[in-house]
Amino acid sequence: GAFLVNGMRRLRAYCFVVANGLNKDGMNRAWPAALATALFALAPGESCADHAARTAGDWLSEAQRARDAGWIEEALAAVDESRRAGPAPERLAQAAKLYRELGRPDTARAALGDLLAADPGPEARRLAALEYQALGDFEAALAQFSLLALAPEAGALEELGVCQFLAGRAPEAERSLSGALTLDPRRLNARLSLGAALLARGRPLEALELYALAPPAGEAVASVAPCPAGPPCRPSSGKV
């Protein structure tokens, strides 16, 4: 039974790619369209022209549905098509995330390279940095976060500090997170993350004092970077 199910999934993925390739060449053959419709590539009632006109967002939505259904090959094929459909930075970042979740880290890194080549602006750099961090590629993430932190902005320094902490650079994280709090003392996540860095450096009393000075919940600023270990922060496992 499992062998048959896996075989059908591979056949679906094959038809998914073949049918789309025929569409891109401007062909409208009856047999691939019918077969693809029967085996998942085309939605029921969808013409080859409609199929070829799908946007990157359409393909990524298809990939997410296939991933949720456990159809890994179909999901990967759909993500591949999303990259061909257009180089929008947010779509390339989403494609990289899906590749990572589908167990293709090298392809995720390639998508991030495409992202930065297509748009070296600050938002694209931030999206790439966060995804590099999720991949565990801390050096690549820090390279992007460091560029973003050249401008004295609390959020950028906070994200840089969190990544430095995760990369095992507690002294550097302390400097970055202290800078973020100097610019905006209301940033709760920067405060919690700085406390984690202080604990990692063997300074628990300073960490407790920092926590005690946290602003009330109603005055705290929501953060975009995750606390290294979740509040209340604790030093991460591994060398820091």
Side-chain angles (χ1 to χ4, degrees):
F3 177 80
L4 180 60
V5 169
N6 288 334
M8 288 299 292
R9 286 178 179 171
R10 286 179 171 79
L11 183 57
R12 288 191 190 98
Y14 174 77
C15 293
F16 187 79
V17 175
V18 168
N20 188 65
L22 291 171
N23 289 330
K24 284 187 176 296
D25 291 337
M27 302 179 185
N28 194 344
R29 307 281 181 80
W31 71 267
L35 187 58
T37 299
L39 295 178
F40 176 78
L42 298 182
E46 181 184 34
S47 69
C48 289
D50 291 339
H51 184 74
R54 287 185 183 181
T55 66
D58 295 333
W59 285 115
L60 290 168
S61 296
E62 195 74 49
Q64 289 170 337
R65 287 193 292 270
R67 177 203 59 191
D68 294 343
W71 297 347
I72 303 304
E73 292 88 350
E74 293 91 333
L76 288 168
V79 182
D80 289 343
E81 288 305 317
S82 77
R83 292 174 65 190
R84 298 187 187 102
E90 67 277 8
R91 300 303 186 193
L92 286 168
Q94 191 177 356
K97 178 177 183 291
L98 282 166
Y99 279 131
R100 171 174 57 82
E101 293 173 347
L102 292 166
R104 299 292 190 275
D106 290 339
T107 315
R109 294 182 186 96
L112 293 174
D114 292 345
L115 163 61
L116 292 171
D119 182 358
E123 182 58 23
R125 288 192 185 280
R126 179 178 173 273
L127 291 171
L130 290 171
E131 192 54 39
Y132 278 129
Q133 180 173 290
L135 284 163
D137 291 352
F138 295 117
E139 293 304 316
L142 286 170
Q144 302 305 320
F145 280 135
S146 296
L147 289 172
L148 293 170
L150 291 175
E153 197 276 320
L157 285 170
E158 179 184 307
E159 289 187 317
L160 174 61
V162 168
C163 190
Q164 288 168 330
F165 183 92
L166 294 173
R169 301 182 179 185
E172 296 175 38
E174 181 182 345
R175 288 193 293 273
S176 297
L177 293 165
S178 295
L181 285 176
T182 298
L183 291 170
D184 189 349
R186 299 171 301 161
R187 300 193 75 87
L188 179 60
N189 193 57
R191 187 174 298 275
L192 294 172
S193 300
L194 177 56
L198 292 171
L199 287 171
R201 301 189 70 189
R203 293 151 61 187
L205 295 180
E206 291 180 57
L208 289 173
E209 181 180 354
L210 188 71
Y211 292 152
L213 294 174
E219 298 178 13
V221 174
S223 298
V224 290
C227 183
C233 280
R234 296 287 184 269
S236 62
S237 58
K239 184 177 181 180
V240 293

